[in-house]
Amino acid sequence: MTRAKAAERLCIALDYADPAAIVEAAARFGPRVGWLKVGLEAFVSGGPALVEEVARHGKVFLDLKLHDIPETVERAVAQAGELGARLVTVHASGGRAMVRRAVER
């Protein structure tokens, strides 16, 4: 496996509360890794604009562990995609219908 191919398998967790630190890390590591993970703490501190900014530096894995009624999760996943997230986590305990609706987005 080439070095570039191996880097695509890496995901760096941007688990900071400070949006400026998150963007700085995204700019530094985005070109070197496959995924940039934005978790719940980061999302709450920086909001949707933070996801958009991080997405300028690489592929975003938005780790919010969504769990709600199927329609709400479907719409939330769609909005996450509009922000630039390429991967979003959902709780399987939300049931088949919820997971199916999330995947359809």
Side-chain angles (χ1 to χ4, degrees):
M1 180 181 304
T2 67
R3 186 174 183 177
K5 192 74 161 174
E8 281 294 311
R9 301 173 87 190
L10 293 175
C11 177
I12 186 163
L14 303 175
D15 290 337
Y16 309 107
D18 177 23
I22 293 166
V23 172
E24 181 181 324
R28 180 175 180 196
F29 295 108
R32 297 182 176 104
V33 300
W35 294 91
L36 299 166
K37 182 185 84 92
V38 175
L40 184 58
E41 180 183 14
F43 185 75
V44 169
S45 70
L50 178 65
V51 177
E52 292 174 322
E53 181 64 29
V54 170
R56 290 185 182 103
H57 301 287
K59 294 187 291 187
V60 173
F61 161 28
L62 188 56
D63 187 18
L64 299 182
K65 300 168 188 80
L66 300 174
H67 182 271
D68 208 312
I69 62 171
E71 185 174 337
T72 298
V73 170
E74 177 184 14
R75 290 192 317 247
V77 168
Q79 289 300 311
E82 292 293 321
L83 296 174
R86 307 261 308 267
L87 181 68
V88 179
T89 54
V90 299
H91 267 293
S93 63
R96 288 177 189 245
M98 185 201 75
V99 173
R100 188 177 315 111
R101 296 278 292 267
V103 170
E104 289 172 356
R105 275 305 178 166

